Amino acid sequence: MKIIRTLKITSDEFYDYLENDLLETANQTRSSGKVRYTRSNIRPGFKVSRETGAAYSRIDLTIREYVRGKVYAATTKSVADTIDLSYTTEIREDGLYVVFEQRMHNYEAKEMNKFVRAWSDITYLRRMSNQLYDIQSKIIRIRNGEEEPKPLRPLGYETAKNVAEKVNEKHMNDKKAEKKAEKAKMKEVIVSVELAPDDPKAIKAARRKEREERAQK
């Protein structure tokens, strides 16, 4: 998917934001005592791994291409999906011209009928557009001194995190369903044990079942 927007921010503001976001995540996850990462480390092959806090939630982000002021391209991988994204920018008179491309491999490989595909694509593009405008809003608030420059994480982490959390939620629901089925099975076993063949209740139940079967014939 690809969208094009013109943002009312400068190229330096945009790339400062991306760099600060990436470096904060990288330095939070670096080994103790290791030298802090700096802007000079941001180049093709630079990799950052992050846990979102839920099971099956490890996300690996790898820079594919980076030229400050021109392009930022990265790939995020999680147990749920692989996402390629890129920002290609150009300075114009009316603002920063941004071409934002994002590809979720599992989503694009999914088979849907035409109506569902069209609706899903519209939702997908709307979310991408919102991501860009959220970045713009955050940068403008920082520029105006309205808040501290905290990362918005426009690196594909949030998309990957959401997908990973859905997979985790499905896994937990499957586990709950399995436990429920096991309890039901155990209950059936207990009932069958309690209603032994010589038990009056068992005899009545058997006769009732026999009568029902005869009535059906």
Side-chain angles (χ1 to χ4, degrees):
M1 295 288 183
K2 178 170 73 173
I3 63 170
I4 299 173
R5 297 290 184 272
T6 299
L7 306 181
K8 303 302 182 182
I9 56 178
T10 68
S11 177
D12 282 341
E13 286 175 325
F14 185 73
Y15 284 94
D16 281 349
Y17 207 90
L18 295 179
E19 289 175 352
N20 291 339
D21 181 25
L22 183 61
L23 291 174
E24 183 189 61
T25 302
N27 284 317
Q28 282 179 348
T29 57
R30 78 190 193 288
S31 302
S32 179
K34 193 172 182 179
V35 177
R36 290 180 64 83
Y37 296 108
T38 64
R39 289 180 176 180
S40 63
N41 295 110
I42 303 177
R43 54 181 179 270
F46 183 57
K47 183 176 180 180
V48 179
S49 297
R50 180 170 176 264
E51 301 287 342
T52 65
Y56 312 105
S57 62
R58 177 188 171 92
I59 299 171
D60 296 320
L61 182 146
T62 305
I63 298 295
R64 300 197 316 274
E65 183 179 3
Y66 186 68
V67 179
R68 184 180 168 90
K70 292 185 178 181
V71 62
Y72 171 101
T75 295
T76 60
K77 289 186 178 181
S78 69
V79 67
D81 205 352
T82 296
I83 302 169
D84 296 324
L85 62 100
S86 67
Y87 302 105
T88 304
T89 64
E90 180 183 332
I91 301 172
R92 295 191 176 181
E93 290 184 3
D94 54 346
L96 186 65
Y97 181 83
V98 182
V99 179
F100 177 25
E101 296 186 72
Q102 183 167 280
R103 180 191 176 202
M104 294 177 66
H105 292 228
N106 285 354
Y107 171 80
E108 296 191 9
K110 194 179 296 182
E111 292 186 6
M112 305 179 191
N113 65 46
K114 291 183 179 179
F115 176 78
V116 174
R117 169 62 71 179
W119 180 257
S120 298
D121 287 353
I122 290 171
T123 303
Y124 193 161
L125 290 169
R126 186 182 296 121
R127 287 175 179 171
M128 290 174 65
S129 182
N130 288 340
Q131 286 182 48
L132 281 182
Y133 285 126
D134 283 345
I135 294 171
Q136 174 181 259
S137 297
K138 189 80 172 181
I139 289 174
I140 290 174
R141 288 199 297 272
I142 291 169
R143 180 202 297 167
N144 295 335
E146 296 173 11
E147 61 179 89
E148 294 297 318
K150 296 178 182 178
L152 182 67
R153 303 205 180 288
L155 303 170
Y157 270 129
E158 290 307 318
T159 302
K161 177 182 176 182
N162 291 339
V163 173
E165 285 179 346
K166 285 181 181 178
V167 169
N168 182 61
E169 183 180 348
K170 182 179 183 305
H171 173 76
M172 295 303 291
N173 288 338
D174 289 346
K175 283 292 183 184
K176 288 179 181 177
E178 286 178 13
K179 287 183 179 179
K180 193 172 181 180
E182 283 297 323
K183 285 183 179 179
K185 188 179 291 185
M186 289 298 295
K187 193 173 181 180
E188 289 178 5
V189 172
I190 291 171
V191 169
S192 65
V193 171
E194 287 178 347
L195 298 179
D198 57 349
D199 191 302
K201 290 183 180 180
I203 295 171
K204 285 183 180 180
R207 287 175 178 172
R208 184 169 58 252
K209 185 176 181 182
E210 186 178 346
R211 286 197 299 272
E212 290 174 353
E213 290 176 350
R214 282 202 302 267
Q216 289 176 357
K217 291 179 181 178

